[in-house]
Amino acid sequence: LDLRRLSAQAKAIEAFWHAKDLGQGLKALGQDSDSPFLALALEGVKAAAHLQPGDDNIQPELHQSFDFSDWVTRSLRNSVDDSTARMQSGLAILASAGSTAPFVGLFGTVWGIYHALTAIGISGQASIDKVAGPVGEALIMTAIGLAVAVPAVLGYNWLVGRNKDAMVNVRTFGSDLHVVLIGSLKKA
């Protein structure tokens, strides 16, 4: 769902670049507070505005010792990192399910074989009726473990690939925005 929303938000980038000025461009990005593009643009504008020359009577702050480009770069990079972390937030659960489910199935197999051996030991003879039930349960547990693991791993890999593609768009937007913001600082 996040990837679909990000794809829809990415369509606003075209309108941003065709805007007459930065204010109109920000409006074109929409009002969705979850948009990494809007967050990136707002952070960049905030960083650029923070470095604008102000009242000469105010004592300079530590961040004003940064080069304009470095300050804006740092701010944009932090915003991209925040968006990346948000996009990857649920993937650990999916990866855990994909990696642990086969072991749960294997535990079920071992448990079923244990029950089969216990039934044989109690009866004193190895017959099909003593082995079939527990071994059948073991096979079912193995199948359930695989039925959980395979889709989880495939889904994880698909989502990681899509997240990488989405974040390339965010980073590219950030790089282009950096050029615009630095150009506006040089004009000021």
Side-chain angles (χ1 to χ4, degrees):
L1 294 175
D2 287 340
L3 287 169
R4 280 189 191 151
R5 188 175 359 174
L6 185 63
S7 178
Q9 293 163 348
K11 293 176 183 171
I13 293 173
E14 191 69 27
F16 176 86
W17 292 120
H18 289 293
K20 301 292 181 207
D21 60 21
L22 203 49
Q24 187 183 14
L26 288 172
K27 287 179 185 173
L29 289 176
Q31 299 297 320
D32 187 357
S33 62
D34 289 334
S35 171
F37 302 106
L38 180 60
L40 193 59
L42 290 174
E43 189 63 33
V45 168
K46 180 180 164 188
H50 208 56
L51 294 175
Q52 293 294 333
D55 187 357
D56 292 332
N57 296 328
I58 297 175
Q59 183 71 20
E61 295 175 358
L62 184 60
H63 68 84
Q64 291 170 325
S65 64
F66 282 97
D67 176 65
F68 286 161
S69 179
D70 291 341
W71 179 258
V72 172
T73 299
R74 179 195 154 284
S75 297
L76 293 175
R77 187 179 314 120
N78 287 346
S79 183
V80 168
D81 290 346
D82 289 345
S83 296
T84 301
R86 209 170 32 254
M87 291 292 293
Q88 295 176 347
S89 65
L91 293 177
I93 294 169
L94 198 55
S96 295
S99 62
T100 59
F103 295 108
V104 172
L106 181 61
F107 177 74
T109 302
V110 170
W111 191 262
I113 292 171
Y114 169 75
H115 279 242
L117 293 174
T118 303
I120 291 171
I122 291 172
S123 69
Q125 56 180 326
S127 62
I128 194 72
D129 63 325
K130 303 289 187 228
V131 176
V135 170
E137 291 172 3
L139 293 174
I140 289 171
M141 288 300 293
T142 302
I144 290 172
L146 291 174
V148 170
V150 171
V153 169
L154 293 175
Y156 173 83
N157 290 336
W158 181 79
L159 286 172
V160 166
R162 295 285 307 259
N163 278 353
K164 284 181 182 179
D165 292 344
M167 292 315 299
V168 164
N169 289 338
V170 172
R171 280 189 211 93
T172 300
F173 178 72
S175 296
D176 294 344
L177 181 62
H178 180 268
V179 172
V180 168
L181 293 170
I182 296 304
S184 70
L185 283 175
K186 289 180 180 176
K187 290 177 187 174

